[in-house]
Amino acid sequence: MQELIEPAQTCVAELASNVIRHVGVGTAASLTVVMRDAYLRLEVRDPDPRALPTLIDAASDAEAGRGMTLVDAVSDHRWGVVLCGDSKVVWCELATDLDAPLGDARGPRVMRAEEHLLLYGGVRPGWVSGSGRLAVAVAEEVAIDLITDLLHWLQARGCDPDEVLDRAQMHVEAESGAET
């Protein structure tokens, strides 16, 4: 993936620069690089969930303010933020020429579920989207914990968890049938 070296370096430099500029010099941060289907995902985690990146309309001669606009352009608008309680992960994805190992199974619901699992489980971001047996097992346990807590929440509010699960299953089957 030689063609991704320069765009990846640009994105990582901008994401890391945001940590230095907006969170502070010397702030501990981590970089995670994972494949997410046909995308190379770059994630920078820092300890300040309040300093969120934004797109601004910076003038061409401005000394600052164009970093996330550059990330937005290089990553074809595939970037975002995951808040994790006492930290945040700013990510972007770069398209590769590779085929997605899961086919076209990464619709908006799957991607949103991954974001919820990251928030809920406190696991490393690459593990939720990974396709290895350990990554899938970890994500499955986090999903079970999340579903269990949601069912307890519904039951505490007088809802029938079995009925909710049945309705959810009907939605999954209807949407799966519509995709084929």
Side-chain angles (χ1 to χ4, degrees), residues 41 44-53 80-91 114-122:
R41 184 174 173 110
V44 174
R45 178 183 292 265
D46 72 65
D48 190 349
R50 298 167 297 146
L52 300 176
V81 180
V82 178
L83 298 177
C84 306
D86 61 350
S87 65
K88 73 175 174 294
V89 175
V90 182
W91 60 268
E114 286 183 1
E115 299 299 334
H116 288 297
L117 291 172
L118 284 170
L119 287 171
Y120 189 81

Short mmCIF file of all heavy atoms in Angstrom, two decimals, residues 41 44-53 80-91 114-122:
data_model
loop_
_atom_site.label_atom_id
_atom_site.label_comp_id
_atom_site.label_asym_id
_atom_site.label_seq_id
_atom_site.Cartn_x
_atom_site.Cartn_y
_atom_site.Cartn_z
N ARG A 41 -7.38 2.43 8.90
CA ARG A 41 -7.91 3.33 9.93
C ARG A 41 -6.78 3.80 10.82
O ARG A 41 -6.00 2.99 11.34
CB ARG A 41 -8.98 2.62 10.75
CG ARG A 41 -9.65 3.52 11.77
CD ARG A 41 -10.80 2.76 12.42
NE ARG A 41 -11.39 3.46 13.51
CZ ARG A 41 -12.60 4.00 13.50
NH1 ARG A 41 -13.35 3.91 12.41
NH2 ARG A 41 -13.09 4.61 14.56
N VAL A 44 -5.91 8.31 16.87
CA VAL A 44 -5.05 8.95 17.86
C VAL A 44 -5.89 9.16 19.12
O VAL A 44 -6.93 9.82 19.07
CB VAL A 44 -4.46 10.28 17.36
CG1 VAL A 44 -3.70 11.00 18.47
CG2 VAL A 44 -3.54 10.02 16.17
N ARG A 45 -5.43 8.57 20.23
CA ARG A 45 -6.13 8.68 21.52
C ARG A 45 -5.37 9.66 22.40
O ARG A 45 -4.15 9.57 22.51
CB ARG A 45 -6.22 7.33 22.21
CG ARG A 45 -6.90 7.38 23.59
CD ARG A 45 -6.89 6.04 24.28
NE ARG A 45 -7.73 5.08 23.62
CZ ARG A 45 -9.00 4.82 23.95
NH1 ARG A 45 -9.56 5.46 24.95
NH2 ARG A 45 -9.68 3.92 23.29
N ASP A 46 -6.13 10.57 23.04
CA ASP A 46 -5.52 11.49 24.00
C ASP A 46 -6.44 11.60 25.21
O ASP A 46 -7.60 11.20 25.15
CB ASP A 46 -5.22 12.85 23.36
CG ASP A 46 -6.47 13.67 23.08
OD1 ASP A 46 -7.16 14.07 24.04
OD2 ASP A 46 -6.73 13.93 21.90
N PRO A 47 -5.94 12.14 26.33
CA PRO A 47 -6.70 12.12 27.58
C PRO A 47 -7.69 13.27 27.78
O PRO A 47 -8.22 13.42 28.88
CB PRO A 47 -5.60 12.19 28.64
CG PRO A 47 -4.51 12.98 27.99
CD PRO A 47 -4.55 12.57 26.53
N ASP A 48 -7.99 14.07 26.75
CA ASP A 48 -8.91 15.19 26.96
C ASP A 48 -10.14 15.07 26.08
O ASP A 48 -10.10 15.43 24.89
CB ASP A 48 -8.20 16.52 26.68
CG ASP A 48 -9.03 17.72 27.11
OD1 ASP A 48 -10.22 17.56 27.43
OD2 ASP A 48 -8.48 18.83 27.11
N PRO A 49 -11.27 14.61 26.65
CA PRO A 49 -12.48 14.47 25.83
C PRO A 49 -13.16 15.81 25.52
O PRO A 49 -14.11 15.85 24.76
CB PRO A 49 -13.39 13.60 26.71
CG PRO A 49 -12.96 13.86 28.10
CD PRO A 49 -11.48 14.14 28.02
N ARG A 50 -12.64 16.91 26.08
CA ARG A 50 -13.26 18.22 25.85
C ARG A 50 -12.70 18.93 24.63
O ARG A 50 -13.39 19.73 24.01
CB ARG A 50 -13.10 19.10 27.08
CG ARG A 50 -13.79 18.53 28.31
CD ARG A 50 -13.36 19.22 29.57
NE ARG A 50 -11.92 18.98 29.74
CZ ARG A 50 -11.08 19.84 30.27
NH1 ARG A 50 -11.49 20.98 30.72
NH2 ARG A 50 -9.80 19.55 30.37
N ALA A 51 -11.47 18.68 24.27
CA ALA A 51 -10.82 19.36 23.15
C ALA A 51 -11.15 18.61 21.85
O ALA A 51 -10.41 17.72 21.44
CB ALA A 51 -9.31 19.43 23.37
N LEU A 52 -12.29 18.96 21.25
CA LEU A 52 -12.76 18.24 20.06
C LEU A 52 -12.30 18.91 18.78
O LEU A 52 -12.32 20.14 18.68
CB LEU A 52 -14.29 18.15 20.09
CG LEU A 52 -14.87 17.43 21.29
CD1 LEU A 52 -16.40 17.48 21.24
CD2 LEU A 52 -14.39 15.99 21.35
N PRO A 53 -11.92 18.11 17.79
CA PRO A 53 -11.52 18.69 16.51
C PRO A 53 -12.74 19.23 15.76
O PRO A 53 -13.83 18.71 15.88
CB PRO A 53 -10.90 17.51 15.76
CG PRO A 53 -11.57 16.32 16.33
CD PRO A 53 -11.85 16.65 17.77
N GLY A 80 -13.81 10.96 12.37
CA GLY A 80 -14.73 11.23 13.45
C GLY A 80 -14.04 11.18 14.79
O GLY A 80 -12.82 11.05 14.88
N VAL A 81 -14.87 11.26 15.84
CA VAL A 81 -14.37 11.27 17.22
C VAL A 81 -15.20 10.28 18.01
O VAL A 81 -16.42 10.23 17.88
CB VAL A 81 -14.52 12.67 17.86
CG1 VAL A 81 -14.00 12.67 19.29
CG2 VAL A 81 -13.80 13.71 17.03
N VAL A 82 -14.53 9.49 18.84
CA VAL A 82 -15.21 8.60 19.78
C VAL A 82 -14.82 9.08 21.18
O VAL A 82 -13.64 9.10 21.53
CB VAL A 82 -14.77 7.13 19.59
CG1 VAL A 82 -15.46 6.23 20.62
CG2 VAL A 82 -15.06 6.65 18.18
N LEU A 83 -15.84 9.50 21.96
CA LEU A 83 -15.59 9.92 23.34
C LEU A 83 -15.58 8.69 24.23
O LEU A 83 -16.48 7.85 24.14
CB LEU A 83 -16.65 10.91 23.79
CG LEU A 83 -16.69 12.21 22.98
CD1 LEU A 83 -17.84 13.09 23.45
CD2 LEU A 83 -15.37 12.95 23.07
N CYS A 84 -14.58 8.59 25.08
CA CYS A 84 -14.40 7.40 25.92
C CYS A 84 -14.33 7.77 27.40
O CYS A 84 -13.44 7.31 28.11
CB CYS A 84 -13.13 6.66 25.50
SG CYS A 84 -13.05 6.23 23.76
N GLY A 85 -15.20 8.61 27.87
CA GLY A 85 -15.19 8.99 29.28
C GLY A 85 -14.08 9.97 29.60
O GLY A 85 -14.26 11.17 29.51
N ASP A 86 -12.91 9.44 29.93
CA ASP A 86 -11.79 10.30 30.30
C ASP A 86 -10.77 10.47 29.17
O ASP A 86 -9.65 10.91 29.40
CB ASP A 86 -11.10 9.76 31.55
CG ASP A 86 -10.52 8.37 31.33
OD1 ASP A 86 -10.82 7.75 30.29
OD2 ASP A 86 -9.78 7.90 32.20
N SER A 87 -11.16 10.15 27.97
CA SER A 87 -10.27 10.32 26.82
C SER A 87 -11.12 10.40 25.55
O SER A 87 -12.34 10.31 25.61
CB SER A 87 -9.29 9.15 26.72
OG SER A 87 -9.97 7.94 26.45
N LYS A 88 -10.45 10.57 24.43
CA LYS A 88 -11.14 10.54 23.14
C LYS A 88 -10.23 9.91 22.11
O LYS A 88 -9.00 9.87 22.28
CB LYS A 88 -11.55 11.94 22.70
CG LYS A 88 -10.40 12.81 22.23
CD LYS A 88 -10.90 14.14 21.69
CE LYS A 88 -9.79 15.09 21.36
NZ LYS A 88 -9.01 15.55 22.49
N VAL A 89 -10.85 9.39 21.07
CA VAL A 89 -10.12 8.84 19.93
C VAL A 89 -10.58 9.63 18.71
O VAL A 89 -11.78 9.69 18.42
CB VAL A 89 -10.42 7.34 19.73
CG1 VAL A 89 -9.76 6.83 18.46
CG2 VAL A 89 -9.98 6.53 20.94
N VAL A 90 -9.64 10.26 18.03
CA VAL A 90 -9.92 10.92 16.76
C VAL A 90 -9.39 9.99 15.68
O VAL A 90 -8.24 9.56 15.74
CB VAL A 90 -9.25 12.31 16.67
CG1 VAL A 90 -9.61 12.98 15.35
CG2 VAL A 90 -9.66 13.19 17.85
N TRP A 91 -10.27 9.65 14.73
CA TRP A 91 -9.89 8.66 13.73
C TRP A 91 -10.16 9.19 12.33
O TRP A 91 -10.96 10.09 12.13
CB TRP A 91 -10.64 7.35 13.94
CG TRP A 91 -12.15 7.51 13.87
CD1 TRP A 91 -12.99 7.75 14.91
CD2 TRP A 91 -12.96 7.46 12.70
NE1 TRP A 91 -14.28 7.85 14.47
CE2 TRP A 91 -14.30 7.67 13.11
CE3 TRP A 91 -12.70 7.24 11.36
CZ2 TRP A 91 -15.36 7.68 12.22
CZ3 TRP A 91 -13.76 7.26 10.46
CH2 TRP A 91 -15.07 7.46 10.90
N GLU A 114 -20.31 -0.51 16.14
CA GLU A 114 -18.90 -0.54 16.54
C GLU A 114 -18.56 0.66 17.41
O GLU A 114 -17.85 0.53 18.40
CB GLU A 114 -18.00 -0.60 15.31
CG GLU A 114 -18.00 -1.95 14.65
CD GLU A 114 -17.04 -2.03 13.48
OE1 GLU A 114 -16.35 -1.03 13.17
OE2 GLU A 114 -16.99 -3.10 12.86
N GLU A 115 -19.07 1.82 17.06
CA GLU A 115 -18.81 3.02 17.87
C GLU A 115 -19.39 2.85 19.27
O GLU A 115 -18.77 3.21 20.27
CB GLU A 115 -19.38 4.27 17.19
CG GLU A 115 -18.79 4.57 15.82
CD GLU A 115 -17.29 4.82 15.81
OE1 GLU A 115 -16.74 5.24 16.84
OE2 GLU A 115 -16.67 4.59 14.76
N HIS A 116 -20.60 2.28 19.37
CA HIS A 116 -21.22 2.06 20.68
C HIS A 116 -20.42 1.04 21.50
O HIS A 116 -20.24 1.21 22.71
CB HIS A 116 -22.67 1.58 20.54
CG HIS A 116 -23.61 2.65 20.09
ND1 HIS A 116 -23.88 3.77 20.83
CD2 HIS A 116 -24.33 2.77 18.96
CE1 HIS A 116 -24.74 4.53 20.19
NE2 HIS A 116 -25.02 3.95 19.04
N LEU A 117 -19.94 -0.01 20.85
CA LEU A 117 -19.15 -1.01 21.56
C LEU A 117 -17.85 -0.40 22.08
O LEU A 117 -17.41 -0.72 23.19
CB LEU A 117 -18.86 -2.21 20.66
CG LEU A 117 -20.07 -3.08 20.33
CD1 LEU A 117 -19.70 -4.13 19.29
CD2 LEU A 117 -20.62 -3.74 21.58
N LEU A 118 -17.25 0.47 21.29
CA LEU A 118 -16.02 1.15 21.75
C LEU A 118 -16.31 1.98 22.99
O LEU A 118 -15.56 1.95 23.96
CB LEU A 118 -15.46 2.04 20.65
CG LEU A 118 -14.73 1.34 19.52
CD1 LEU A 118 -14.46 2.31 18.39
CD2 LEU A 118 -13.45 0.74 20.03
N LEU A 119 -17.39 2.75 22.95
CA LEU A 119 -17.75 3.59 24.08
C LEU A 119 -18.09 2.75 25.30
O LEU A 119 -17.69 3.06 26.42
CB LEU A 119 -18.95 4.47 23.73
CG LEU A 119 -18.69 5.61 22.78
CD1 LEU A 119 -20.00 6.25 22.36
CD2 LEU A 119 -17.78 6.64 23.41
N TYR A 120 -18.82 1.69 25.09
CA TYR A 120 -19.33 0.89 26.20
C TYR A 120 -18.26 0.00 26.83
O TYR A 120 -18.16 -0.09 28.04
CB TYR A 120 -20.49 0.01 25.73
CG TYR A 120 -21.20 -0.66 26.87
CD1 TYR A 120 -22.13 0.03 27.62
CD2 TYR A 120 -20.91 -1.97 27.22
CE1 TYR A 120 -22.77 -0.56 28.69
CE2 TYR A 120 -21.54 -2.58 28.29
CZ TYR A 120 -22.47 -1.87 29.02
OH TYR A 120 -23.10 -2.46 30.08
N GLY A 121 -17.48 -0.62 26.00
CA GLY A 121 -16.59 -1.66 26.50
C GLY A 121 -15.23 -1.20 26.95
O GLY A 121 -14.54 -1.92 27.65
N GLY A 122 -14.80 -0.01 26.54
CA GLY A 122 -13.48 0.44 26.92
C GLY A 122 -12.37 -0.43 26.34
O GLY A 122 -11.28 -0.50 26.88
#
